[in-house]
Amino acid sequence: MSRASDQLKLWLPQHWPMWFGVGVVWLLDKLPWPEKRLLARGLGWFIFNVLTIRRRVVFTNLRLCFPKLSVQEISILARAHYDSLALGLFEVCAGWWAKKQDLPPYRVVGAEHLDAALARGKGALLLTAHFTTLEIGGRFMSETRSMGGLYRDPNNPVVAHLMRGQRARHMSPAVHFDDLRGLVRGLRSNAAIWYAPDQGKRTKSSEILPFFGVPAITNTATSKIAEMTGAAVVPFFAKREADHSYTLTILPALENFPTADASADAVRINEIIEEHIKHAPEQYFWVHKRFKARGPGYPTVY
């Protein structure tokens, strides 16, 4: 079936509620940022206290990753996470649709590290993780330097259609996460490609390795990709600041990477991600079941 036919199907009545929701969010995105932050706090309160979407998952993840926190501290952190999730929705809209002059204030620290990595001529894996600032951080990066990226289609076809369009608009190349050849081609053409390996699933390139000291399915393919292409692995992270600005931090390319031990390399990446999570723990994507499907010998925590 042609792509045009697939797109026509998106306008069938069963998709109208989603299109209506997209339209509402698009209109709300036109509000000034102070009003959007206020709405986000209200929406975060409503989801946390009324809808309770994945609240048990969030509490479980936080207890596992921060065992020294008290019950009250976990609850405060979880509540702050839902505000962060809600604000992330407005940040998605800004990342997709906002003009450059309408983006919130941000600063870029360490752009010279990406320049140095690309000067080698073998591309760069822009190593990051699934934070609630993911979309707007990608937009900041694309405004700073030309960037490609891996993407995964969401389950909802309307959202998937919109996301594919925005990926193609802001990223070059935009590569589906299953397209290893496309990723390799992009790196060999000396592209910088957004890459977040922190949501593991059972594959040939996964192992059970510690994340905050807790066994979790972990992607070990980063070493293989770097070895195949010679690409530098350059960590970068976006963080909301207390003054409502954003900091995009680009770190130096990993030295002595990859090694002969892909498991040790993956643990090293987990530790880099953990360190950044500690700077703003409420901004990580705790609604994801990070410790699911670990197999025999591991308790079912959700």
Side-chain angles (χ1 to χ4, degrees), residues 10 14 27 32 41 44 60 65 69-70 120 153 169 184 206 232 267 278 296:
L10 295 177
Q14 63 261 37
L27 288 172
R41 288 196 293 273
T60 298
C65 294
L69 294 184
S70 68
R120 299 169 53 204
D153 285 333
R169 177 184 173 195
V184 170
S206 69
V267 170
K278 292 173 185 176

Side-chain angles (χ1 to χ4, degrees), residues 205-264:
S205 298
S206 69
E207 294 183 29
I208 304 295
L209 297 171
F211 182 72
F212 279 97
V214 184
I217 297 174
T218 303
N219 183 352
T220 60
T222 311
S223 294
K224 180 181 178 181
I225 295 167
E227 183 178 9
M228 289 174 59
T229 62
V233 178
V234 180
F236 87 102
F237 300 99
K239 177 177 176 286
R240 292 187 207 101
E241 303 291 358
D243 64 357
H244 307 304
S245 67
Y246 295 74
T247 300
L248 183 68
T249 301
I250 305 171
L251 301 176
L254 300 186
E255 296 183 355
N256 303 316
F257 191 96
T259 69
D261 189 341
S263 300

Side-chain angles (χ1 to χ4, degrees), residues 118 121-125 146-150 172-175 179-194 225 229 231:
L118 292 176
K122 295 184 178 181
L125 276 177
S146 176
M147 179 184 73
L150 290 180
S172 180
V175 182
D179 185 7
L180 179 59
R181 291 182 179 179
L183 174 59
V184 170
R185 281 196 303 271
L187 292 171
R188 287 178 175 169
S189 69
N190 203 33
I193 296 185
W194 182 98
I225 295 167
T229 62

